[in-house]
Amino acid sequence: MATAVATDVMIPQPYLVRDVSKETSDTFTLKLAPEAGANGNSFQPGQFSMLWVFGVGELPISISGDPGQHDQLVYTVRSVGQATNALVNQSVGSGVGVRGPFGKGWPVEAARGRDVILVAGGIGLAPLRPVIYEVLHHRKDYGRLVILYGARSPRDLLYRKEMAAWARHRDTQALVTVDYGGMSWRGHVGVVTTLFKYARLKPSNSVAMACGPEIMMRFVARELETHGLSRDDIYLSMERNMKCAVGFCGHCQYGPHFICKDGPVFTYTQMKPLLEKYEL
Amino acid sequence: METLERIIGEHPFFAGLESYYTGLLVGCGANIRFQPGAYIFKEGEEANEFYLIRSGRVALEIAAPQHKPIVIETLSEGDILGWSWLLPPYQWKFNAHAVLDTRAIALDGKCLRTKCEQNHDLGYEVLKRFAQIMERRLEATRLQVLDVYAAR
């Protein structure tokens, strides 16, 4: 029986590309729908899928869509190599294999009744977008929503229109910064940690979730701790080379953890000793 | 009506400063406003003031020959602008211009240096605060030069 379950999770399900939209020069959002027309694509914010481009390879990609929308799965993909390039160049109607969803996601249930602080860098906003949808769909269940987002330049910002719309929601503060701003950019310039001083935080009743380059998360977690959040209330989404996605192959082992199965979301308490080891 | 003493005392940079010292600072301060696009100072000019930003946004920019100026940092409400007034040769190292309509308190650098020399307790309080700002900005700059979002 165990073998049958293991086999099932290793078999990609056929999906069709419903839409491909360009977010930035190298980043695209794909909407996939099951070929069989099923309507049961449930996932937890922060989970990921393995996307199979037939004849090219398989990739772990975080789900970036609305968890309340069950007729499709949405992924935001940065084209940085052969497989991601093939994925973002899929035409509407072409077939893609999907395994998952996998992994332990963001603590959206544990965050109910508390303020939610989201800190994203670059494409790290994509795995956090489902949390934003979840909070906004159940607005009364959560306290303040604070979104701090940093990118390399104004041209690299994801979901710009949505970000502006999120900022207009009640009890929501959305701040955006870029590392390098041109003269026409009227927003903040500086790394994402510089936004903390402008954020209205209530650390004693807040849960923070951060996603972005690992070094950014190191600095962000330290900053959150300096502001008074406990390490158990700071969550980080980690990334390693995931292959099987179910803890069999060991490719994504990080210290004692398998990122695919035990994560990708971990508390800062779990990650702090590992983040400070350069060898890992 | 807001007094200058109250505005200075409530600015995050001077948080926790005894009111006696705030009183000393008032004599060096003045309200000031910059329209969007207005230059507050330019590289090489004499650095006579620093600014407690009350609202708006200021961009620090650096220009290299044959390149457009690059904005390296922005500062907003609650930030301070400028520390070149504190150390010789008292010259600005960057350009600063208002991005948005910006209100600030301008503190006269010479006046403040004189008061800090006369009262070393005040000088220590001011330097402690500047040291903290410098440390934070240095850390942020180090992270910025890593270009962490670049594709690798």
Side-chain angles (χ1 to χ4, degrees), chain B residues 10-65:
Chain B
E10 288 180 353
H11 193 278
F13 182 71
F14 285 120
L17 189 69
E18 285 180 31
S19 58
Y20 169 71
Y21 296 130
T22 314
L24 290 178
L25 295 171
V26 168
C28 302
N31 265 304
I32 197 160
R33 187 169 188 165
F34 300 98
Q35 298 295 322
Y39 273 87
I40 300 167
F41 52 75
K42 288 192 172 178
E43 183 181 345
E45 290 178 351
E46 195 177 348
N48 288 324
E49 290 174 318
F50 86 99
Y51 303 89
L52 307 174
I53 301 175
R54 300 178 61 196
S55 66
R57 184 166 300 143
V58 174
L60 281 179
E61 63 176 55
I62 188 163

Short mmCIF file of all heavy atoms in Angstrom, two decimals, chain B residues 10-65:
data_model
loop_
_atom_site.label_atom_id
_atom_site.label_comp_id
_atom_site.label_asym_id
_atom_site.label_seq_id
_atom_site.Cartn_x
_atom_site.Cartn_y
_atom_site.Cartn_z
N GLU B 10 9.70 65.30 19.51
CA GLU B 10 8.90 64.14 19.08
C GLU B 10 9.49 63.44 17.85
O GLU B 10 9.01 62.37 17.47
CB GLU B 10 7.47 64.59 18.78
CG GLU B 10 6.71 64.92 20.07
CD GLU B 10 5.28 65.36 19.80
OE1 GLU B 10 4.92 65.54 18.62
OE2 GLU B 10 4.54 65.52 20.79
N HIS B 11 10.50 64.03 17.24
CA HIS B 11 11.10 63.37 16.08
C HIS B 11 11.86 62.12 16.56
O HIS B 11 12.57 62.16 17.56
CB HIS B 11 12.07 64.32 15.37
CG HIS B 11 12.48 63.83 14.02
ND1 HIS B 11 13.48 62.90 13.85
CD2 HIS B 11 12.01 64.13 12.79
CE1 HIS B 11 13.62 62.66 12.55
NE2 HIS B 11 12.74 63.39 11.89
N PRO B 12 11.70 60.97 15.85
CA PRO B 12 12.33 59.73 16.31
C PRO B 12 13.83 59.85 16.56
O PRO B 12 14.37 59.18 17.43
CB PRO B 12 12.06 58.75 15.15
CG PRO B 12 10.86 59.28 14.48
CD PRO B 12 10.90 60.77 14.62
N PHE B 13 14.50 60.74 15.81
CA PHE B 13 15.95 60.85 15.98
C PHE B 13 16.31 61.34 17.38
O PHE B 13 17.34 60.94 17.95
CB PHE B 13 16.52 61.82 14.93
CG PHE B 13 18.01 61.96 14.99
CD1 PHE B 13 18.83 60.91 14.60
CD2 PHE B 13 18.60 63.13 15.46
CE1 PHE B 13 20.23 61.04 14.66
CE2 PHE B 13 19.98 63.25 15.52
CZ PHE B 13 20.79 62.20 15.12
N PHE B 14 15.47 62.19 17.95
CA PHE B 14 15.77 62.72 19.27
C PHE B 14 14.91 62.08 20.36
O PHE B 14 14.78 62.64 21.46
CB PHE B 14 15.60 64.25 19.27
CG PHE B 14 16.73 64.97 18.59
CD1 PHE B 14 16.49 65.77 17.48
CD2 PHE B 14 18.04 64.84 19.03
CE1 PHE B 14 17.54 66.43 16.84
CE2 PHE B 14 19.09 65.49 18.40
CZ PHE B 14 18.84 66.28 17.31
N ALA B 15 14.33 60.91 20.06
CA ALA B 15 13.49 60.20 21.04
C ALA B 15 14.30 59.96 22.32
O ALA B 15 15.45 59.52 22.26
CB ALA B 15 13.01 58.88 20.47
N GLY B 16 13.71 60.29 23.44
CA GLY B 16 14.36 60.02 24.72
C GLY B 16 15.33 61.10 25.17
O GLY B 16 15.90 61.00 26.26
N LEU B 17 15.50 62.13 24.34
CA LEU B 17 16.43 63.21 24.72
C LEU B 17 15.77 64.08 25.79
O LEU B 17 14.60 64.45 25.66
CB LEU B 17 16.77 64.05 23.49
CG LEU B 17 17.89 65.08 23.65
CD1 LEU B 17 19.25 64.39 23.83
CD2 LEU B 17 17.94 66.02 22.45
N GLU B 18 16.51 64.41 26.82
CA GLU B 18 15.96 65.23 27.90
C GLU B 18 15.51 66.58 27.34
O GLU B 18 16.16 67.15 26.46
CB GLU B 18 17.01 65.45 28.99
CG GLU B 18 17.24 64.22 29.86
CD GLU B 18 18.30 64.50 30.92
OE1 GLU B 18 18.43 65.64 31.38
OE2 GLU B 18 19.00 63.53 31.27
N SER B 19 14.43 67.10 27.92
CA SER B 19 13.86 68.34 27.39
C SER B 19 14.85 69.51 27.49
O SER B 19 14.82 70.43 26.68
CB SER B 19 12.55 68.67 28.10
OG SER B 19 12.78 68.78 29.48
N TYR B 20 15.73 69.44 28.47
CA TYR B 20 16.74 70.51 28.61
C TYR B 20 17.58 70.60 27.33
O TYR B 20 17.84 71.69 26.81
CB TYR B 20 17.64 70.23 29.82
CG TYR B 20 18.87 71.11 29.89
CD1 TYR B 20 18.76 72.48 30.19
CD2 TYR B 20 20.13 70.59 29.62
CE1 TYR B 20 19.88 73.29 30.23
CE2 TYR B 20 21.26 71.40 29.66
CZ TYR B 20 21.13 72.75 29.96
OH TYR B 20 22.24 73.56 30.00
N TYR B 21 17.98 69.43 26.82
CA TYR B 21 18.80 69.41 25.61
C TYR B 21 17.99 69.83 24.39
O TYR B 21 18.49 70.51 23.49
CB TYR B 21 19.40 68.02 25.38
CG TYR B 21 20.37 67.60 26.46
CD1 TYR B 21 20.25 66.36 27.08
CD2 TYR B 21 21.40 68.44 26.86
CE1 TYR B 21 21.13 65.97 28.07
CE2 TYR B 21 22.28 68.06 27.85
CZ TYR B 21 22.15 66.83 28.46
OH TYR B 21 23.01 66.47 29.43
N THR B 22 16.73 69.38 24.37
CA THR B 22 15.87 69.79 23.25
C THR B 22 15.77 71.31 23.21
O THR B 22 15.81 71.93 22.14
CB THR B 22 14.45 69.18 23.40
OG1 THR B 22 14.58 67.81 23.75
CG2 THR B 22 13.65 69.30 22.13
N GLY B 23 15.68 71.90 24.40
CA GLY B 23 15.62 73.35 24.49
C GLY B 23 16.87 74.01 23.90
O GLY B 23 16.79 75.05 23.24
N LEU B 24 18.02 73.36 24.12
CA LEU B 24 19.26 73.90 23.54
C LEU B 24 19.25 73.84 22.01
O LEU B 24 19.79 74.70 21.33
CB LEU B 24 20.47 73.11 24.06
CG LEU B 24 20.86 73.26 25.53
CD1 LEU B 24 22.04 72.35 25.86
CD2 LEU B 24 21.22 74.71 25.84
N LEU B 25 18.62 72.77 21.48
CA LEU B 25 18.62 72.57 20.03
C LEU B 25 17.72 73.57 19.31
O LEU B 25 17.97 73.93 18.16
CB LEU B 25 18.14 71.15 19.69
CG LEU B 25 19.03 69.98 20.15
CD1 LEU B 25 18.32 68.66 19.93
CD2 LEU B 25 20.35 70.01 19.40
N VAL B 26 16.66 74.01 20.01
CA VAL B 26 15.66 74.85 19.35
C VAL B 26 16.28 76.09 18.73
O VAL B 26 15.92 76.50 17.61
CB VAL B 26 14.55 75.23 20.35
CG1 VAL B 26 13.65 76.33 19.79
CG2 VAL B 26 13.72 73.99 20.68
N GLY B 27 17.25 76.66 19.44
CA GLY B 27 17.90 77.88 18.94
C GLY B 27 18.63 77.68 17.62
O GLY B 27 18.94 78.65 16.92
N CYS B 28 18.90 76.43 17.28
CA CYS B 28 19.62 76.14 16.02
C CYS B 28 18.67 75.72 14.91
O CYS B 28 19.12 75.44 13.79
CB CYS B 28 20.63 75.01 16.23
SG CYS B 28 21.86 75.33 17.49
N GLY B 29 17.37 75.60 15.19
CA GLY B 29 16.45 74.97 14.23
C GLY B 29 15.50 75.95 13.55
O GLY B 29 15.23 77.04 14.06
N ALA B 30 15.00 75.55 12.41
CA ALA B 30 14.00 76.34 11.68
C ALA B 30 13.17 75.41 10.81
O ALA B 30 13.68 74.41 10.29
CB ALA B 30 14.69 77.38 10.81
N ASN B 31 11.90 75.72 10.68
CA ASN B 31 11.03 74.96 9.78
C ASN B 31 11.42 75.24 8.34
O ASN B 31 11.76 76.38 7.99
CB ASN B 31 9.58 75.37 9.99
CG ASN B 31 8.87 74.45 10.96
OD1 ASN B 31 8.84 73.24 10.75
ND2 ASN B 31 8.33 75.02 12.03
N ILE B 32 11.33 74.22 7.51
CA ILE B 32 11.68 74.42 6.10
C ILE B 32 10.84 73.47 5.25
O ILE B 32 10.39 72.42 5.73
CB ILE B 32 13.21 74.19 5.89
CG1 ILE B 32 13.68 74.78 4.57
CG2 ILE B 32 13.59 72.74 6.02
CD1 ILE B 32 15.17 75.02 4.52
N ARG B 33 10.62 73.86 4.00
CA ARG B 33 9.80 73.04 3.10
C ARG B 33 10.44 73.02 1.71
O ARG B 33 10.94 74.05 1.25
CB ARG B 33 8.39 73.66 3.02
CG ARG B 33 7.41 72.82 2.27
CD ARG B 33 6.01 73.36 2.47
NE ARG B 33 5.04 72.46 1.91
CZ ARG B 33 3.74 72.51 2.16
NH1 ARG B 33 3.27 73.42 2.98
NH2 ARG B 33 2.93 71.65 1.60
N PHE B 34 10.40 71.86 1.09
CA PHE B 34 10.98 71.72 -0.26
C PHE B 34 9.93 71.19 -1.22
O PHE B 34 9.24 70.20 -0.92
CB PHE B 34 12.17 70.74 -0.24
CG PHE B 34 13.29 71.17 0.67
CD1 PHE B 34 13.41 70.63 1.95
CD2 PHE B 34 14.22 72.12 0.26
CE1 PHE B 34 14.42 71.02 2.80
CE2 PHE B 34 15.24 72.53 1.10
CZ PHE B 34 15.35 71.97 2.38
N GLN B 35 9.83 71.84 -2.36
CA GLN B 35 8.91 71.37 -3.41
C GLN B 35 9.50 70.16 -4.11
O GLN B 35 10.74 70.02 -4.16
CB GLN B 35 8.68 72.49 -4.45
CG GLN B 35 8.05 73.75 -3.88
CD GLN B 35 6.64 73.52 -3.39
OE1 GLN B 35 5.88 72.77 -4.00
NE2 GLN B 35 6.30 74.14 -2.27
N PRO B 36 8.66 69.28 -4.68
CA PRO B 36 9.20 68.14 -5.42
C PRO B 36 10.17 68.60 -6.51
O PRO B 36 9.87 69.54 -7.25
CB PRO B 36 7.94 67.50 -6.03
CG PRO B 36 6.82 67.95 -5.17
CD PRO B 36 7.20 69.31 -4.65
N GLY B 37 11.32 67.95 -6.56
CA GLY B 37 12.32 68.29 -7.57
C GLY B 37 13.37 69.28 -7.07
O GLY B 37 14.43 69.42 -7.69
N ALA B 38 13.08 69.98 -5.98
CA ALA B 38 14.02 70.99 -5.48
C ALA B 38 15.25 70.33 -4.88
O ALA B 38 15.13 69.33 -4.14
CB ALA B 38 13.33 71.86 -4.43
N TYR B 39 16.41 70.87 -5.20
CA TYR B 39 17.65 70.35 -4.60
C TYR B 39 17.85 70.95 -3.21
O TYR B 39 17.72 72.16 -3.02
CB TYR B 39 18.85 70.63 -5.50
CG TYR B 39 19.03 69.53 -6.52
CD1 TYR B 39 18.35 69.58 -7.73
CD2 TYR B 39 19.80 68.41 -6.22
CE1 TYR B 39 18.45 68.54 -8.64
CE2 TYR B 39 19.91 67.37 -7.13
CZ TYR B 39 19.24 67.44 -8.33
OH TYR B 39 19.34 66.40 -9.22
N ILE B 40 18.13 70.08 -2.27
CA ILE B 40 18.35 70.51 -0.88
C ILE B 40 19.83 70.84 -0.69
O ILE B 40 20.18 71.82 -0.05
CB ILE B 40 17.89 69.41 0.09
CG1 ILE B 40 16.39 69.14 -0.14
CG2 ILE B 40 18.17 69.79 1.55
CD1 ILE B 40 15.87 67.88 0.52
N PHE B 41 20.67 70.02 -1.27
CA PHE B 41 22.09 70.35 -1.34
C PHE B 41 22.72 69.57 -2.49
O PHE B 41 22.13 68.62 -3.00
CB PHE B 41 22.83 70.08 -0.01
CG PHE B 41 22.65 68.71 0.58
CD1 PHE B 41 23.31 67.60 0.05
CD2 PHE B 41 21.86 68.53 1.71
CE1 PHE B 41 23.17 66.35 0.61
CE2 PHE B 41 21.71 67.26 2.28
CZ PHE B 41 22.36 66.18 1.73
N LYS B 42 23.91 70.02 -2.86
CA LYS B 42 24.63 69.36 -3.95
C LYS B 42 26.05 69.03 -3.51
O LYS B 42 26.62 69.73 -2.68
CB LYS B 42 24.66 70.25 -5.20
CG LYS B 42 23.29 70.34 -5.87
CD LYS B 42 23.37 70.97 -7.24
CE LYS B 42 22.01 70.85 -7.93
NZ LYS B 42 22.01 71.49 -9.25
N GLU B 43 26.56 67.97 -4.11
CA GLU B 43 27.91 67.49 -3.80
C GLU B 43 28.93 68.62 -3.90
O GLU B 43 28.92 69.39 -4.87
CB GLU B 43 28.28 66.37 -4.80
CG GLU B 43 29.63 65.75 -4.55
CD GLU B 43 29.95 64.67 -5.59
OE1 GLU B 43 29.04 64.22 -6.31
OE2 GLU B 43 31.12 64.28 -5.67
N GLY B 44 29.80 68.72 -2.91
CA GLY B 44 30.86 69.73 -2.92
C GLY B 44 30.49 71.02 -2.23
O GLY B 44 31.37 71.80 -1.85
N GLU B 45 29.20 71.27 -2.05
CA GLU B 45 28.79 72.49 -1.36
C GLU B 45 29.11 72.38 0.13
O GLU B 45 29.22 71.28 0.68
CB GLU B 45 27.28 72.72 -1.53
CG GLU B 45 26.87 73.10 -2.93
CD GLU B 45 25.36 73.26 -3.10
OE1 GLU B 45 24.61 72.91 -2.16
OE2 GLU B 45 24.94 73.72 -4.16
N GLU B 46 29.19 73.55 0.75
CA GLU B 46 29.46 73.56 2.19
C GLU B 46 28.27 72.97 2.94
O GLU B 46 27.11 73.29 2.65
CB GLU B 46 29.70 75.01 2.65
CG GLU B 46 30.33 75.09 4.02
CD GLU B 46 30.62 76.54 4.43
OE1 GLU B 46 30.53 77.43 3.56
OE2 GLU B 46 30.91 76.75 5.61
N ALA B 47 28.57 72.08 3.88
CA ALA B 47 27.50 71.40 4.64
C ALA B 47 27.26 72.17 5.93
O ALA B 47 27.98 72.00 6.91
CB ALA B 47 27.90 69.96 4.93
N ASN B 48 26.25 73.00 5.89
CA ASN B 48 25.97 73.86 7.05
C ASN B 48 24.82 73.38 7.89
O ASN B 48 24.59 73.89 8.98
CB ASN B 48 25.66 75.28 6.57
CG ASN B 48 26.90 75.98 6.08
OD1 ASN B 48 27.99 75.78 6.63
ND2 ASN B 48 26.76 76.78 5.03
N GLU B 49 24.04 72.42 7.38
CA GLU B 49 22.80 72.06 8.09
C GLU B 49 22.58 70.56 8.05
O GLU B 49 23.17 69.85 7.23
CB GLU B 49 21.60 72.73 7.42
CG GLU B 49 21.56 74.23 7.61
CD GLU B 49 20.44 74.87 6.81
OE1 GLU B 49 20.24 74.48 5.64
OE2 GLU B 49 19.77 75.76 7.36
N PHE B 50 21.73 70.08 8.93
CA PHE B 50 21.13 68.77 8.72
C PHE B 50 19.64 68.88 8.98
O PHE B 50 19.16 69.87 9.52
CB PHE B 50 21.83 67.67 9.52
CG PHE B 50 21.37 67.47 10.92
CD1 PHE B 50 20.48 66.44 11.22
CD2 PHE B 50 21.83 68.27 11.96
CE1 PHE B 50 20.08 66.23 12.52
CE2 PHE B 50 21.43 68.05 13.25
CZ PHE B 50 20.55 67.04 13.54
N TYR B 51 18.92 67.87 8.55
CA TYR B 51 17.47 68.00 8.49
C TYR B 51 16.77 66.84 9.20
O TYR B 51 17.13 65.68 9.00
CB TYR B 51 17.02 68.02 7.02
CG TYR B 51 17.68 69.12 6.22
CD1 TYR B 51 18.89 68.88 5.57
CD2 TYR B 51 17.10 70.38 6.13
CE1 TYR B 51 19.52 69.89 4.85
CE2 TYR B 51 17.74 71.39 5.41
CZ TYR B 51 18.94 71.15 4.78
OH TYR B 51 19.57 72.14 4.08
N LEU B 52 15.78 67.20 9.99
CA LEU B 52 14.89 66.19 10.56
C LEU B 52 13.68 66.15 9.64
O LEU B 52 12.93 67.14 9.57
CB LEU B 52 14.43 66.59 11.97
CG LEU B 52 15.51 66.93 13.00
CD1 LEU B 52 14.86 67.44 14.29
CD2 LEU B 52 16.35 65.70 13.31
N ILE B 53 13.48 65.07 8.93
CA ILE B 53 12.38 65.02 7.96
C ILE B 53 11.08 64.75 8.70
O ILE B 53 10.96 63.79 9.47
CB ILE B 53 12.64 63.95 6.88
CG1 ILE B 53 13.95 64.28 6.16
CG2 ILE B 53 11.49 63.88 5.89
CD1 ILE B 53 14.39 63.23 5.16
N ARG B 54 10.10 65.60 8.46
CA ARG B 54 8.79 65.46 9.12
C ARG B 54 7.79 64.76 8.21
O ARG B 54 6.92 64.03 8.67
CB ARG B 54 8.25 66.84 9.49
CG ARG B 54 9.15 67.60 10.45
CD ARG B 54 8.59 68.98 10.73
NE ARG B 54 7.27 68.88 11.35
CZ ARG B 54 6.41 69.88 11.43
NH1 ARG B 54 6.70 71.05 10.92
NH2 ARG B 54 5.23 69.72 12.03
N SER B 55 7.89 65.02 6.92
CA SER B 55 7.00 64.36 5.95
C SER B 55 7.61 64.50 4.57
O SER B 55 8.49 65.35 4.36
CB SER B 55 5.59 64.98 5.99
OG SER B 55 5.66 66.32 5.55
N GLY B 56 7.13 63.69 3.65
CA GLY B 56 7.63 63.75 2.28
C GLY B 56 8.71 62.72 2.02
O GLY B 56 8.82 61.71 2.73
N ARG B 57 9.49 62.95 1.00
CA ARG B 57 10.55 61.98 0.64
C ARG B 57 11.70 62.72 -0.05
O ARG B 57 11.48 63.58 -0.89
CB ARG B 57 9.99 60.90 -0.27
CG ARG B 57 11.01 59.80 -0.61
CD ARG B 57 10.33 58.59 -1.22
NE ARG B 57 9.35 58.01 -0.31
CZ ARG B 57 8.19 57.50 -0.68
NH1 ARG B 57 7.86 57.46 -1.93
NH2 ARG B 57 7.34 57.00 0.22
N VAL B 58 12.91 62.34 0.34
CA VAL B 58 14.12 62.95 -0.21
C VAL B 58 14.98 61.84 -0.83
O VAL B 58 15.11 60.76 -0.24
CB VAL B 58 14.92 63.66 0.91
CG1 VAL B 58 16.26 64.17 0.37
CG2 VAL B 58 14.12 64.80 1.50
N ALA B 59 15.55 62.10 -1.98
CA ALA B 59 16.44 61.13 -2.63
C ALA B 59 17.87 61.60 -2.53
O ALA B 59 18.17 62.77 -2.79
CB ALA B 59 16.04 60.96 -4.09
N LEU B 60 18.74 60.68 -2.13
CA LEU B 60 20.19 60.94 -2.18
C LEU B 60 20.69 60.37 -3.48
O LEU B 60 20.44 59.20 -3.79
CB LEU B 60 20.89 60.23 -1.02
CG LEU B 60 20.82 60.86 0.36
CD1 LEU B 60 21.56 59.97 1.35
CD2 LEU B 60 21.44 62.24 0.35
N GLU B 61 21.40 61.17 -4.23
CA GLU B 61 21.84 60.70 -5.54
C GLU B 61 23.33 60.95 -5.73
O GLU B 61 23.90 61.85 -5.11
CB GLU B 61 21.05 61.40 -6.66
CG GLU B 61 21.28 62.90 -6.67
CD GLU B 61 20.58 63.60 -7.82
OE1 GLU B 61 19.38 63.44 -7.96
OE2 GLU B 61 21.28 64.32 -8.55
N ILE B 62 23.90 60.15 -6.58
CA ILE B 62 25.31 60.32 -6.91
C ILE B 62 25.42 60.32 -8.44
O ILE B 62 24.70 59.58 -9.12
CB ILE B 62 26.18 59.21 -6.27
CG1 ILE B 62 27.66 59.50 -6.46
CG2 ILE B 62 25.83 57.82 -6.78
CD1 ILE B 62 28.55 58.70 -5.53
N ALA B 63 26.27 61.15 -8.94
CA ALA B 63 26.41 61.25 -10.39
C ALA B 63 27.84 60.93 -10.79
O ALA B 63 28.78 61.37 -10.14
CB ALA B 63 26.05 62.65 -10.86
N ALA B 64 27.98 60.13 -11.83
CA ALA B 64 29.31 59.84 -12.38
C ALA B 64 29.35 60.42 -13.79
O ALA B 64 28.32 60.51 -14.46
CB ALA B 64 29.53 58.33 -12.42
N PRO B 65 30.54 60.81 -14.25
CA PRO B 65 30.64 61.38 -15.61
C PRO B 65 30.04 60.44 -16.66
O PRO B 65 30.26 59.22 -16.60
CB PRO B 65 32.15 61.53 -15.81
CG PRO B 65 32.72 61.60 -14.44
CD PRO B 65 31.84 60.76 -13.58
#
